[in-house]
Amino acid sequence: MTRPSPVARRAFLTASLALLATPALARSAKKEKKGGKEGEGEDAADPVIKLQSMALPIIAAGKLVNYVFVQMTVTLKPGVLVTVFEGKEPLLRDAIVREAHSKPFLRPDSYVALDEARLKASVLREVNGLIGPGKVALVTVVKQTPRNFMAPPAKPGAPKPGTAKPAQGPAPAGDSDLVP
C-alpha cells in the first residue's frame, strides 16, 4: 500500500477544516448583517415555564375514584425573566395538590378529566402569590392522562347499572279478575 503524498494530505486537511468552519462563517455573516453588535438580534429566552407532571385526585362522594396526571405550562408576560420562578415550582405543586384534595377539580360528567377552568384559575392564583401579581400571561393545560379509564358518573335520576327499570305502561288487556 502506498502512502499519500504530503501535498495530498495537506489538501485533504485544508478541505476538512474549511467544511467544519463553514457554519461558523455563515453565523458571523448573519451577525454582521444585523448590525454586528454583540447580543443584538438574538432571540430572547422563551417566557414559558413547563411544569413537571402532577398527579391530581378525582374524588367523588368522599371517595378516591381515580388520578389524573396533568402537564401544564405557565407563560410569563413579556419582559418578565424566567428566573423569577426559579425554585418555586415545588411550592406551586404542593399548593395545587393540597387544593385538589380539599376541593377536587371534579367535572360532573367525567372521572377521567379535570375541570380545566378551575385548575387554571387555581394555578394562576398560586403563581401570582409566589412571584407577584401581574407577571403571568397565561396558564395552559397541555395534557391530561387518567390513571384508569372509567365510565362516566351516572346522571341524576338515571337507574343504576344492573337494576331493571319497572315497566310503565297500560295494563295488559285480558282477564280483569287477575290481581297484579
Side-chain angles (χ1 to χ4, degrees), residues 28-122:
S28 65
K30 284 183 183 178
K31 279 188 179 180
E32 288 173 14
K33 287 180 184 177
K34 289 185 178 180
K37 293 184 181 176
E38 193 66 33
E40 187 179 298
E42 293 180 10
D43 291 335
D46 194 15
V48 176
I49 300 167
K50 294 179 183 175
L51 301 176
Q52 292 180 4
S53 184
M54 284 186 264
L56 299 178
I58 293 186
I59 301 171
K63 294 183 181 181
L64 177 66
V65 178
N66 202 358
Y67 277 99
V68 175
F69 296 90
V70 182
Q71 294 177 353
M72 293 185 286
T73 61
V74 175
T75 306
L76 301 175
K77 289 187 176 176
V80 178
L81 298 176
V82 178
T83 56
V84 75
F85 193 71
E86 210 168 85
K88 304 227 166 112
E89 185 177 355
L91 299 172
L92 173 65
R93 294 165 54 83
D94 182 59
I96 297 302
V97 169
R98 285 177 188 268
E99 185 172 343
H101 280 276
S102 65
K103 293 180 274 178
F105 300 109
L106 178 67
R107 284 180 38 183
D109 63 337
S110 177
Y111 287 150
V112 294
L114 300 171
D115 183 359
E116 281 190 30
R118 280 194 51 231
L119 179 60
K120 288 178 185 181
S122 178

Side-chain angles (χ1 to χ4, degrees), residues 122-143:
S122 178
V123 170
L124 183 63
R125 183 178 59 249
E126 294 296 332
V127 170
N128 283 336
L130 288 171
I131 65 172
K135 294 183 180 179
V136 177
L138 180 67
V139 175
T140 307
V141 176
V142 177
K143 187 177 180 182

